[in-house]
Amino acid sequence: GDGNRFKFVMRDDEDWNGVAWTQSFDTAAGEWTTARLPLAGFVPTRFARTDRLARPFRADRCTALQFALSKFEYDAGLNPRFEEGRFRLDVQSIGVVRA
């Protein structure tokens, strides 16, 4: 990581204007970070605004995974770690851990 707060985004359909399930995680500059993101912690959003009417995420229909660096957290709140300019996020692996 580079010290920024990133978002991990999942989608369960192909509508890029539709609901995206999002969870933020912080990185430490120059260090590997293990981000454990429980499914229950994902927030249904549309363009960084919480969608309180969204149906539950359908994990069996996951169509996209995405990392994002956003100026916004949720509902017009600002990402406290956001800085304009270059950024870097190296990803070693992504996995699913079942309880």
Side-chain angles (χ1 to χ4, degrees), residues 31-77:
E31 296 180 19
W32 284 102
T33 300
T34 299
R36 298 188 192 285
L37 307 173
L39 191 57
F42 280 82
V43 177
T45 61
R46 289 179 194 263
F47 304 106
R49 297 205 180 272
T50 303
D51 185 338
R52 289 172 173 68
L53 301 177
R55 59 174 165 61
F57 180 71
R58 298 174 296 196
D60 62 324
R61 296 184 184 180
C62 186
T63 59
L65 302 176
Q66 170 185 353
F67 290 96
L69 175 59
S70 176
K71 181 178 179 177
F72 299 100
E73 274 293 290
Y74 306 100
D75 303 321

